[in-house]
Amino acid sequence: QQYPDARVRIVEGLSPAILPMVRDETLDFVLVLRPVGKLESGLRFRPLFQDTLVIAARKGHPLRNEQSLSRLQDAEWLAAGPDWVIPALSRLFSAPGLRAPRSMTHCDSFHSVFALLAATDMIAAMPRRLLMSPFARGVLQQIPIAERMSSNTQGIVTRADALLTPVASAMAKAMTAVAREVARRK
């Protein structure tokens, strides 16, 4: 409303694919999980909120009532996200002394993740907010395991050496306000 003639481009992607687009100025900013390790030089991360990982599966999944990771080891797992997700899932299992799942499919598209989870017996670890999204609501459910799941930080990545344009700044402020509201609703 503030900029009725503005053109907005929304790009879905995982951090490894979209962070270079911020660096090369194709995108003004991105909303991402805090990248693992050190952020590329020239980029700045501003945290917005924490989100806990949950185990998700389709409604009515045969393992929907399991309460332990040990009972989920032999399931077909879907690793949703960048390359560091598979080692993170392995660490999730190794913390209580379990072996990592043998069956793991890596997927780089959130829409494909939702489609695969909804149509198969695969399960995945995902941020709780994704499980509450319109794509997942009524289709996916949380498997209520007893083990403590890690949390991660959601935030905005911008170029470190450039100010956002007035339009991009207004959009980032609006997204920040929504993110804070989402964090408050937890």
Side-chain angles (χ1 to χ4, degrees):
Q1 292 174 341
Q2 193 176 0
Y3 295 95
D5 295 330
R7 289 182 162 204
V8 176
R9 178 179 179 204
I10 298 172
V11 177
E12 178 197 18
L14 301 169
S15 299
I18 60 176
L19 287 177
M21 296 173 81
V22 174
R23 190 180 58 250
D24 74 11
E25 301 181 18
T26 301
L27 298 175
D28 293 304
F29 65 90
V30 294
L31 298 170
V32 294
L33 292 174
R34 178 187 301 273
V36 172
K38 189 173 180 182
L39 191 62
E40 296 178 44
S41 66
L43 298 179
R44 178 179 58 218
F45 180 83
R46 183 169 47 105
L48 294 176
F49 64 93
Q50 291 282 331
D51 200 359
T52 303
L53 289 176
V54 297
I55 306 298
R58 68 174 170 80
K59 290 275 187 178
H61 191 284
L63 301 174
R64 69 186 171 277
N65 295 319
E66 295 300 339
Q67 297 179 358
S68 173
L69 276 177
S70 65
R71 306 281 300 186
L72 301 176
Q73 280 179 302
D74 294 325
E76 290 183 67
W77 280 80
L78 183 59
D83 291 338
W84 56 262
V85 170
I86 292 175
L89 271 175
S90 295
R91 282 191 306 277
L92 173 69
F93 280 87
S94 66
L98 302 171
R99 69 164 166 74
R102 289 189 181 120
S103 177
M104 198 172 306
T105 300
H106 189 192
C107 185
D108 286 334
S109 162
F110 289 119
H111 283 90
S112 295
V113 166
F114 289 122
L116 285 167
L117 287 175
T120 70
D121 280 341
M122 292 178 141
I123 59 176
M126 66 173 49
R128 183 183 309 275
R129 74 172 173 84
L130 287 179
L131 187 60
M132 300 298 131
S133 73
F135 295 113
R137 207 173 304 134
V139 178
L140 302 181
Q141 68 183 62
Q142 181 177 344
I143 297 178
I145 61 168
E147 290 87 355
R148 180 175 159 81
M149 297 290 287
S150 64
S151 62
N152 50 52
T153 304
Q154 304 281 330
I156 293 178
V157 173
T158 58
R159 286 180 302 284
D161 62 351
L163 295 174
L164 293 175
T165 65
V167 174
S169 180
M171 185 68 147
K173 285 178 185 171
M175 293 184 136
T176 298
V178 169
R180 288 188 177 138
E181 179 59 31
V182 167
R184 241 189 320 274
R185 277 190 247 147
K186 286 195 208 177

